[in-house]
Each structure stands twice: as C-alpha cells, then as structure tokens.
Amino acid sequence: QNQFGLSNYGKNDGSDSMISDFTFRNYASRLPEVYSGHPNRVERYNQYENMDMDSEINACLDIIAEFSTQINESNATPFDIQYNETPTDHEVDIIKKQLQQWVKLNKLDQRIFKLFRNTIKYGDQVFVRDPETFEMMWVDMSKLARVIVNESEGKRPEQYVIRDINPNFQNMTVAAKTTTDYMTNPVTGSVSGAANYTMPNGGSGGGVGNSRFMTAMNETCLDAKHVIHMSLNEGLDVFWPFGRSVLEQIYKVFKQKELLEDAIIIYRVQRAPERRVFYVDVGNMPSHLAMSFVERVKNEIHQRRIPSQNGGGQNVIDSAYNPLSINEDYFFPQTAEGRGSKVETLPGGTNLGEITDLRYFTNKLFRGLRIPSSYLPTGPDDTAVQFTDGRMGTALIQEFRFNRYCRRLQGLVAPYLDKEFKTFMKHRGVNIDSSSFDLDML
C-alpha cells in the first residue's frame, strides 16, 4: 500500500486481477487533483485592490471595461448574437426575447461593466447559480478556497470549495463530496485527510491535525455545474484553473511610481519651505566670544518680552517663545562704515516642478495596460504614430492595438456567458440547437 492507504495500481499477479478502472490504472492513487492557485493568490487580490486605488490604474481599468461592454441598440443588451446558420424569423424572435429576459434577470445591462472589470482585475470572477431561478449570485474571489478537478475527464473542474457561503445555498447547490480532500501539515510535511469543510445536509467537519497549525474553516463544497467561473486563463500556464490579472504585468511599474510619488512629496515637504539666514556681525571678537555673542543674539530674537501674569511690579516681565513670524521686523545696529548684521532669505528646494521622471513611469504604466496615449487627459505623446487606411479613416496605431487587445479579452470572457445563456434557454425548455448561434460581446 502507498502512503495514502491505497493499493498499488496496475499490479498483475498472474490472474485477471488487473484493475479495470481507468483512473486507478493510470494514476498513482484515486486522489483527484486539487488546485488552490498561486500560494499568494488571496494576498494578490488585496494587492490588486491597493493598485485599484491609484487614480491612473482605476481610470485604465474603467477605459478597458467601457470599451469592452458596449450596449447593443438593436436588442438593448450588452451582447450580439452571431448566427452560424441562417435562422428563421421565429427563432430570431425567441432567442432575442430569451436574451432580454436573461439579461433582465441578472441585471447584466448594469452589472456587465463591473463583471468584466472585476474579471480583468482579479483574473477570475465566480458566480453561484440558483438552480431554481438561474440567477447569478456573486462570490468574493478571496472566499474561493480551491478547485477539485476530475483528471480522468481532461482535468474538468468537478467541485468548488468556497468559504463562508450563503447558508441558503447549502441545501440547493451543495454536492456530495465524492473524494477526500487532503492538506499538508506545515511542520512535518505529511499528507493527511482533512474534513475542514461543511458537509452537505447540515453536517459539519472538524479540523484534522494539530490545532495550532490547522484551523477548521467554514467551507462548502459545490458541484461545478452550479458554479460559473469566468477566467482569463486559456490553460497554458501554471495558474490554471485560476486566471492571471492584467495588473500583474504592471506591478513593478506601479511600485516604482508609488515610491517616486512618496519621494517627491517628502522632498517638497522637507525642502520646499523658505528659510532665513542671519548674518551676525561679531567684529574682531575671539572665536569663543563670537559664538557666545551669536547665541545671545539668537536668544534675543527668539524671545518676546511680555508682562508677568503674577504681577509684582512693572519691571517684572516674562520671556515667551517667538516663532520668527514673517510679519515681524528685525532690528540690527550698523556701524558708520555700514558694517553690521543682516538677514537674507534662503530659497527653498529647486526643481520642484520637474516631474519628468514621474511622467515617464506613468506613461510606462499606461503602455503596460495597452491604453492609447490619446485617451489620456495629458493628450498624445511624441511617440504616437498614426495609422491611415488610405480612405476616410485615420487612427493611431495605438488605438488599433488597443481595439485588438479588448477583443482578445472579450474572447476570453464571452464563452462563459454564452454557455450560461444557452444553459438558461435549455432550462426554459427552448428547443433551439445551441450550436446554431453564439453570444458575443460588442
């Protein structure tokens, strides 16, 4: 037996005891593959939230989402129907009516902007579908613990483990857990079974192992058929089945720009104020007497004589601190030769208006998100090259690339919505071949 207590697969003892189960013969154990994403996946979601608070990144995400979620005036929805076969007028009316009802049910005419924006911001977006009404319920990505994949069917997601899910869904969409979930002890490195999820039908699991390192979490296992997982992942990188945010590629530039902005603010606060320089005439005094004289003059300037509050006569006065206000005058004696003390203004920090380096990193951030410079409030930069098609249309080559970039992002999100809409039509009993049309984003 192996370390999981399962018999070795594919062992032939000379009889017909060869195991016929496909999964059992081709893999070391019956354990499915459990994907929890990048080790810092949840921390990265918080990182994306901090990046979204930056005004430039916030505007860039809005621009991408606005260009990718236009409203179709013909059917008053954010989608366009592409027919693969010539439909009849009756089929066109049915599909159009069902699409409008589906959009109205899920308020996609209002939520499509945020849906698409969150998908490109986090790389993923998860919804739980109500099996009765087919309404899409939003799920926080940080609550998605892991995905259990059926490796015998091409690594198809089979179950989703979600933390702190709405209790109303626990009796509607919870699937019976078909496999044992395993977790690794961070101290010993051993693998042990963990019942740290909420069992179906009201059962509850408890933490396994040392409670100091393993804490029972309120997790619920949902069948994948009730979960809509929109992702920017094509399955060609190590992040699968989780997507990769478009903000990941500009994280370094964002940190550099953030540090530079802080440095500019600190420099202006520390060096921008003007200061006064006091030149105190000490004549031919020795060095020790000169320093004492300068110190006495400084104390005289920094003091203001006021009458004593305790009384005791007219000659009793107190000294209060004088903050050297710019509205006050200073009086210094001068000799007949014009020699004496003087006060000059020391200029503040220079080059306070020089933000060329900050503008460089800002433009680099925009280029990382494929935003054309002509869309920005600062206007086009010097590197903007125009693209002319020889006819009436003239556009920047950056705008052409940005359009292709938005279409590529739409091509990653639209298939999930297309599949969900066709599932909705099947649930409604509409008997139209789903391969005869495709749902696309404008």
Side-chain angles (χ1 to χ4, degrees):
Q1 292 187 350
N2 57 16
Q3 59 177 337
F4 303 122
L6 300 177
S7 301
N8 295 329
Y9 69 96
K11 182 177 180 181
N12 192 351
D13 55 358
S15 62
D16 295 336
S17 60
M18 179 72 70
I19 302 175
S20 60
D21 184 41
F22 177 81
T23 306
F24 200 56
R25 284 189 294 107
N26 289 275
Y27 295 92
S29 69
R30 292 183 181 272
L31 290 178
E33 295 193 21
V34 181
Y35 292 88
S36 58
H38 193 276
N40 298 328
R41 179 174 60 88
V42 178
E43 288 78 4
R44 288 179 182 231
Y45 294 149
N46 297 328
Q47 164 189 310
Y48 301 149
E49 288 290 344
N50 294 331
M51 295 177 68
D52 195 13
M53 296 177 64
D54 185 82
S55 58
E56 283 85 5
I57 295 181
N58 185 280
C60 290
L61 292 177
D62 288 345
I63 291 174
I64 297 175
E66 287 172 357
F67 272 79
S68 303
T69 56
Q70 301 294 322
I71 299 297
N72 191 349
E73 297 181 356
S74 61
N75 53 22
T77 65
F79 304 101
D80 186 22
I81 302 175
Q82 303 291 339
Y83 293 98
N84 301 324
E85 301 175 359
T86 303
T88 62
D89 295 339
H90 183 62
E91 291 178 344
V92 172
D93 294 339
I94 292 178
I95 295 176
K96 181 179 179 180
K97 183 178 179 181
Q98 293 296 324
L99 177 61
Q100 292 174 347
Q101 293 179 356
W102 179 64
V103 169
K104 184 177 181 180
L105 173 65
N106 293 290
K107 300 180 181 179
L108 290 180
D109 51 344
Q110 302 174 1
R111 301 169 63 186
I112 188 65
F113 171 81
K114 196 72 173 181
L115 183 150
F116 190 88
R117 191 180 187 275
N118 286 344
T119 304
I120 62 176
K121 174 182 174 181
Y122 299 113
D124 298 275
Q125 191 62 236
V126 172
F127 292 88
V128 176
R129 184 198 310 111
D130 191 326
E132 297 180 358
T133 64
F134 264 60
E135 184 177 358
M136 298 164 52
M137 304 297 181
W138 176 77
V139 175
D140 188 3
M141 281 304 304
S142 61
K143 301 297 183 181
L144 181 58
R146 51 198 174 274
V147 180
I148 302 176
V149 176
N150 190 341
E151 56 188 7
S152 64
E153 297 183 8
K155 291 187 176 181
R156 180 180 59 86
E158 190 175 58
Q159 295 173 344
Y160 285 80
V161 181
I162 302 177
R163 290 191 295 266
D164 302 328
I165 196 171
N166 190 335
N168 294 330
F169 290 113
Q170 294 187 4
N171 294 326
M172 293 190 300
T173 60
V174 172
K177 198 171 181 61
T178 58
T179 56
T180 303
D181 207 356
Y182 284 79
M183 65 189 308
T184 303
N185 191 314
V187 178
T188 63
S190 61
V191 179
S192 58
N196 57 341
Y197 61 94
T198 301
M199 293 291 291
N201 301 325
S204 61
V208 175
N210 194 335
S211 60
R212 294 174 56 189
F213 304 102
M214 299 181 184
T215 305
M217 294 177 292
N218 183 20
E219 296 181 350
T220 305
C221 187
L222 302 184
D223 196 328
K225 66 181 181 180
H226 299 297
V227 177
I228 306 168
H229 183 191
M230 287 173 284
S231 174
L232 298 183
N233 199 319
E234 306 92 341
L236 300 177
D237 52 37
V238 296
F239 294 97
W240 189 90
F242 298 94
R244 186 170 183 264
S245 171
V246 298
L247 300 180
E248 193 70 32
Q249 57 198 3
I250 61 167
Y251 177 71
K252 180 180 178 181
V253 180
F254 166 74
K255 297 301 294 184
Q256 292 173 336
K257 186 179 77 71
E258 187 180 35
L259 292 174
L260 186 58
E261 289 175 345
D262 294 341
I264 290 176
I265 294 176
I266 293 174
Y267 176 78
R268 295 193 177 197
V269 171
Q270 294 292 331
R271 297 299 180 183
E274 294 182 349
R275 290 172 173 83
R276 286 184 291 267
V277 181
F278 288 80
Y279 296 91
V280 181
D281 185 13
V282 296
N284 296 324
M285 294 182 184
S287 59
H288 64 283
L289 295 179
M291 293 303 299
S292 300
F293 179 73
V294 170
E295 190 70 21
R296 188 170 74 249
V297 172
K298 185 180 69 172
N299 292 335
E300 289 292 333
I301 295 174
H302 282 166
Q303 290 178 357
R304 179 186 294 116
R305 299 292 190 269
I306 58 177
S308 175
Q309 296 181 357
N310 298 328
Q314 298 180 354
N315 297 328
V316 180
I317 58 177
D318 289 338
S319 297
Y321 175 73
N322 183 12
L324 292 179
S325 173
I326 61 175
N327 297 323
E328 295 183 1
D329 298 327
Y330 301 97
F331 301 93
F332 297 100
Q334 269 191 339
T335 62
E337 294 83 8
R339 191 185 67 180
S341 303
K342 62 180 180 178
V343 181
E344 292 183 357
T345 301
L346 182 66
T350 58
N351 299 327
L352 293 179
E354 292 294 333
I355 57 173
T356 305
D357 48 355
L358 179 61
R359 187 178 295 113
Y360 166 77
F361 284 103
T362 302
N363 292 334
K364 191 175 181 181
L365 185 145
F366 291 143
R367 290 194 298 269
L369 290 175
R370 313 293 196 275
I371 303 297
S373 58
S374 59
Y375 292 169
L376 306 176
T378 56
D381 55 11
D382 298 334
T383 60
V385 181
Q386 288 188 345
F387 169 77
T388 306
D389 58 1
R391 301 174 185 173
M392 296 294 293
T394 301
L396 295 174
I397 188 65
Q398 294 179 351
E399 297 178 5
F400 176 75
R401 293 173 179 172
F402 177 70
N403 181 61
R404 302 300 301 173
Y405 177 64
C406 291
R407 290 297 300 170
R408 186 165 72 251
L409 293 178
Q410 288 177 339
L412 295 174
V413 178
Y416 299 101
L417 297 173
D418 173 68
K419 180 180 178 181
E420 177 63 18
F421 172 62
K422 293 176 179 177
T423 306
F424 172 78
M425 292 183 59
K426 183 178 179 181
H427 173 72
R428 286 289 187 92
V430 179
N431 189 16
I432 296 180
D433 187 8
S434 59
S435 63
S436 61
F437 70 96
D438 293 318
L439 201 64
D440 195 9
M441 302 179 66
L442 295 178

